[in-house]
Amino acid sequence: MEYKSKHSSILGLFMVLAAIAAGVAAIVYACMIHRRHVDDEKWRDYDECGL
């Protein structure tokens, strides 16, 4: 019984860490996409005038 309890607590800890890692990855990805969009908007005027 004690082994089952340790196993389930380790599995729960692993699931929490995986959820945190997925959340951080999603935030980083969203920030990268936003930055790329801002950079594209910044340089769009220069692309249209031929520079």
Side-chain angles (χ1 to χ4, degrees):
M1 190 94 179
E2 184 178 330
Y3 174 74
K4 197 173 196 181
S5 176
K6 284 184 181 180
H7 182 67
S8 64
S9 65
I10 291 173
L11 183 60
L13 178 64
F14 178 73
M15 290 176 66
V16 168
L17 291 175
I20 291 171
V24 170
I27 291 169
V28 169
Y29 179 74
C31 289
M32 288 174 52
I33 294 297
H34 177 69
R35 183 177 179 137
R36 184 179 302 160
H37 178 69
V38 169
D39 286 343
D40 288 346
E41 289 293 323
K42 176 183 174 183
W43 293 106
R44 183 166 293 163
D45 293 336
Y46 296 105
D47 289 338
E48 290 174 356
C49 74
L51 289 179

